[in-house]
Amino acid sequence: MPKLNLFDIQGFVARGYTFPCASFLLAEILDHQAGRNFVGRVTRQVTSAERWDSKPHSTLNIGFTWKGLQKLRLPDATLLSFPVEFYQGMRARHCILGDVGKNDPSNWESVWNEDIHVWLAIYAEGPEELARRCDEVVRLMQETCGARLLYTQQAALICIDGKPTSKEHFGYTDGFGNPDFEGVERKTVPGQGKLTPDGKWAPLATGEFILGYPDEARELPVCPVPYLLGINGTFMAYRKMHQNVASFRKYLAEKGSQYPGGEEKLAAKFVGRWKDGTPVELSPDRPDPDLVQQPSRSTDFTYGKDLDGARCPIGSHIRRSNPRDAFGFNGQLVNRRRIMRRGLPYGAYTPPDQPASDADDHGIVFMALGASLFRQFEFVQQQWIEYGNDARLGNDKDLMVGCHNGGNDGFTVQGSAEPGNTPFICGSLPNFVDMRGGEYFFLPSLTALRLIADGTVDPR
Ligand code: HEM
């Protein structure tokens, strides 16, 4: 098992911060020299993955687009060594990602037309600390004349009855399934790594998530040169996804009234988890609050004994995005398609007893980390979310997050002969989620940040 230098890896890469609020700052580098100075000043404050003896009040992390690295004048040989999808960026890859029609980049928020070079993430224990830390970073931009703030995206856990929760805007509990990988200080949680031949779970190879280490194919992931720039870094897909809560609730109520299992069960079939997070595969008929409280059980399941989707539909969101052993070979086909999620909701929550509108500005800031955007995030998005062939679902897309332009798409609850579990087809899907914009970022190690700041990246 590789021993990771946690002082060199950005904290955001190694762990999900459990802070209630965050700001994501998008900025433009104004000049290469001043920009390097700005990066250098920020680097001194960047939160690493080192163990916390006491939790800080806030954290700071940074990532760059390819254009940002170009603006900082990294050598051409280095720029050319980055993977092509990162160089092209999310906008240029929109057809691959299914961002078409309503989700076409021409409909994204205007900031995504600008020269986005830097992403800065600030997480904090509360709004005051968040504002203080954001002001500090913006002041650094001004003092160094190195960068210009283009946009601030606020995000926060949804509060219900005054308490922060892990709910997203459709009402589901989120944040269970995230992969375990070797080298991070964390106990392996059953169901979060890869399946072993004896049916147990083991962490995935470090190189699936951090550059410079062997991945599941025992190869080193494609890494920019020099090696020192890439090692301990990773890539991130950032997507701002608006949620049409009114449409979702209306559709669910309408179909739920026709579905023999009722609305809540149908909602569970859509996602593969009941709204409280109980996995449908483990408890297909009702939520199980005891089970969901136990991290050792809430992700510990497979689909191998449910290949026809009688318990958990084949097209449900979590089965599509992490099919586990559903495609055979003891789950080995999915080990190189895992993504590390770091999402946070944005916008005000509309409680279920209050009228919702699709125009309400709320959704998820979805962030997926991995050593290869192409092999991990793009594959999951293109093949499993926006297409159903691997699961033998033809052109069917993910009900909840797929881009259903035209309303011709459907979703099948395979069901069984059991009462209340009748097979059921949901047709004429509207878009429940709309893209507001996004980009690919490289999150370098702290060493790499210093090289960038010093202008000493040398590919020779
Ligand atoms: C608005 C957009 C989205 C919403 C509301 C959403 C919601 C959820 C929910 C409620 C869960 C179940 C909780 C959990 O297992 O942690 C989940 C799991 C997951 N989602 Fe999403 N999601 C969204 C977008 C996406 C996208 C775009 C992808 C991939 C490209 C994705 C990939 C995953 C994965 C990999 C899991 C964990 C599956 C597992 O390991 O069992 N999600 N999501």
Side-chain angles (χ1 to χ4, degrees):
M1 183 187 297
K3 181 126 179 65
L4 294 183
N5 180 355
L6 297 176
F7 292 88
D8 199 37
I9 298 171
Q10 294 203 48
F12 180 81
V13 176
R15 58 158 84 103
Y17 300 134
T18 48
F19 282 116
C21 52
S23 291
F24 303 108
L25 276 47
L26 303 173
E28 179 189 4
I29 298 284
L30 295 172
D31 159 82
H32 77 279
Q33 208 57 59
R36 287 175 186 172
N37 189 12
F38 169 69
V39 173
R41 301 273 295 273
V42 167
T43 301
R44 285 182 228 154
Q45 297 184 27
V46 162
T47 309
S48 77
E50 69 188 278
R51 218 181 65 197
W52 291 339
D53 291 329
S54 60
K55 195 171 173 176
H57 300 297
S58 53
T59 57
L60 174 63
N61 292 100
I62 184 167
F64 301 90
T65 58
W66 188 87
K67 280 189 181 150
L69 297 174
Q70 187 189 37
K71 186 82 189 189
L72 287 162
R73 298 228 186 134
L74 263 65
D76 285 349
T78 298
L79 291 170
L80 288 170
S81 68
F82 277 96
V84 68
E85 68 279 6
F86 172 67
Y87 152 71
Q88 289 184 329
M90 193 177 279
R91 169 181 285 268
R93 310 280 289 177
H94 73 106
C95 288
I96 291 170
L97 302 174
D99 293 336
V100 294
K102 210 177 162 192
N103 286 350
D104 185 272
S106 57
N107 296 324
W108 292 2
E109 287 172 348
S110 59
V111 64
W112 302 101
N113 293 325
E114 305 224 27
D115 280 331
I116 296 174
H117 294 150
V118 188
W119 163 91
L120 293 134
I122 299 165
Y123 282 73
E125 62 188 8
E128 278 164 24
E129 170 67 7
L130 186 63
R132 186 194 68 75
R133 204 76 199 268
C134 286
D135 288 351
E136 210 171 82
V137 172
V138 174
R139 240 189 346 264
L140 268 187
M141 290 183 193
Q142 291 159 353
E143 266 172 41
T144 57
C145 302
R148 179 171 75 97
L149 180 66
L150 299 173
Y151 191 85
T152 303
Q153 178 62 57
Q154 304 291 358
L157 292 178
I158 289 176
C159 282
I160 299 177
D161 299 331
K163 288 197 198 102
T165 68
S166 11
K167 293 278 180 200
E168 52 69 54
H169 289 282
F170 294 143
Y172 295 92
T173 310
D174 202 356
F176 292 92
N178 243 346
D180 272 338
F181 64 92
E182 285 178 342
V184 278
E185 271 195 358
R186 186 176 151 185
K187 230 175 90 213
T188 299
V189 179
Q192 298 204 339
K194 61 181 176 191
L195 271 172
T196 60
D198 57 357
K200 296 208 169 72
W201 296 94
L204 288 147
T206 310
E208 290 298 317
F209 301 101
I210 300 190
L211 299 178
Y213 304 90
D215 62 20
E216 280 295 320
R218 300 196 188 115
E219 287 166 358
L220 289 174
V222 178
C223 193
V225 291
Y227 183 67
L228 214 49
L229 181 75
I231 184 170
N232 290 334
T234 197
F235 292 99
M236 173 179 75
Y238 176 105
R239 283 164 87 74
K240 179 173 176 184
M241 304 177 87
H242 169 83
Q243 290 177 259
N244 294 313
V245 175
S247 289
F248 186 80
R249 286 183 186 166
K250 183 165 167 275
Y251 188 87
L252 180 60
E254 196 180 297
K255 300 292 172 195
S257 66
Q258 300 155 12
Y259 178 59
E263 191 176 316
E264 280 310 296
K265 184 162 177 178
L266 187 61
K269 296 275 189 184
F270 286 174
V271 165
R273 285 190 186 269
W274 293 82
K275 284 200 174 158
D276 74 345
T278 307
V280 172
E281 190 56 45
L282 294 180
S283 179
D285 295 320
R286 64 194 60 82
D288 181 343
D290 286 343
L291 191 162
V292 91
Q293 297 297 328
Q294 299 174 39
S296 59
R297 292 179 67 205
S298 60
T299 51
D300 189 7
F301 55 92
T302 53
Y303 302 112
K305 295 201 174 73
D306 181 28
L307 290 180
D308 51 7
R311 292 166 78 88
C312 182
I314 299 170
S316 61
H317 179 64
I318 68 163
R319 185 157 171 173
R320 276 175 176 270
S321 51
N322 178 13
R324 299 170 188 244
D325 62 341
F327 300 156
F329 302 98
N330 198 37
Q332 285 192 45
L333 293 182
V334 309
N335 292 346
R336 305 197 74 215
R337 310 289 184 195
R338 302 295 304 281
I339 52 174
M340 182 76 67
R341 290 177 304 141
R342 294 274 185 265
L344 205 58
Y346 71 88
Y349 175 66
T350 313
D353 55 355
Q354 282 176 28
S357 157
D358 284 350
D360 292 342
D361 186 22
H362 48 200
I364 281 189
V365 177
F366 174 88
M367 293 167 285
L369 305 178
S372 166
L373 288 162
F374 172 75
R375 175 165 56 76
Q376 294 166 305
F377 165 70
E378 286 195 342
F379 184 91
V380 173
Q381 173 69 25
Q382 183 192 37
Q383 295 295 322
W384 294 347
I385 299 279
E386 290 291 325
Y387 192 36
N389 205 39
D390 278 1
R392 301 203 183 121
L393 294 173
N395 286 325
D396 278 8
K397 300 172 180 179
D398 187 300
L399 170 139
M400 188 171 65
V401 304
C403 180
H404 308 293
N405 280 296
N408 294 323
D409 294 341
F411 171 78
T412 308
V413 179
Q414 280 79 23
S416 66
E418 300 291 313
N421 199 31
T422 320
F424 190 71
I425 293 178
C426 298
S428 312
L429 292 174
N431 260 22
F432 298 121
V433 168
D434 296 332
M435 261 299 276
R436 291 287 190 254
E439 192 44 287
Y440 292 150
F441 293 91
F442 173 56
L443 276 57
S445 68
L446 276 89
T447 302
L449 283 170
R450 286 181 205 112
L451 293 179
I452 295 170
D454 294 348
T456 50
V457 174
D458 185 351
R460 292 164 296 169

